[in-house]
Amino acid sequence: MSCVFCDIANGRAPAAVEYEDDRVVAFNDINPAAPVHILIVPKKHIPTIADVSEEDEPLIGHLIRIARKLASERRLEGYKLIFNSGEKGGQIIFHLHLHLLGGWDRKPSTVSI
Ligand code: 5GP
Ligand code: ZN
């Protein structure tokens, strides 16, 4: 089964990569919903938060740590971290990803992603 985020993680599809290590790739969202909108994506194909096993829990912590690092490098004073989970949670790409959103001048009234 083809998966666009696996393709990006494997270098088979292009993306504006902001960070990469052995477990994670982070790249700019193609349709940004904020001045800074980066997706932090595990290289392991996990469809949704509901599919995260106990052994994957350190990987979820790692995603959050990388989001913090990217936010700090961009001097974001505040930001949102979002996992959309399941179709009714607004998830479109069924390869787990953490949205990092920020860069607004003031608190945003709503963010829809
Ligand atoms: P979801 O709704 O599944 O949480 O979010 C998927 C996100 O992936 C959306 O914000 C969408 O703009 C982004 N996206 C979808 N396809 C691509 C792609 O091929 N490249 C990049 N960089 N972002 C994508
Ligand atoms: Zn995948």
Side-chain angles (χ1 to χ4, degrees), residues 4-103:
V4 63
F5 285 2
C6 281
D7 287 348
I8 291 172
N10 294 327
R12 289 195 303 261
V17 173
E18 297 285 321
Y19 174 86
E20 183 167 11
D21 65 25
D22 57 331
R23 286 184 285 170
V24 161
V25 62
F27 50 87
N28 288 307
D29 196 291
I30 205 165
N31 183 23
V36 174
H37 187 173
I38 300 174
L39 303 174
I40 300 99
V41 180
K43 290 189 172 177
K44 178 178 179 181
H45 182 90
I46 301 169
T48 80
I49 279 287
D51 301 302
V52 171
S53 66
E54 203 174 328
E55 73 168 24
D56 293 326
E57 285 177 6
L59 179 59
I60 303 304
H62 188 59
L63 297 183
I64 294 170
R65 194 165 74 77
I66 298 309
R68 272 176 51 178
K69 170 183 154 60
L70 292 166
S72 147
E73 284 171 1
R74 282 155 188 74
R75 304 194 193 291
L76 300 183
E77 288 171 17
Y79 49 89
K80 293 180 186 290
L81 298 180
I82 296 174
F83 287 107
N84 289 329
S85 186
E87 264 177 52
K88 290 184 180 172
Q91 188 175 3
I92 295 166
I93 305 285
F94 280 76
H95 177 134
L96 191 74
H97 51 280
L98 177 60
H99 294 258
L100 165 63
L101 297 140

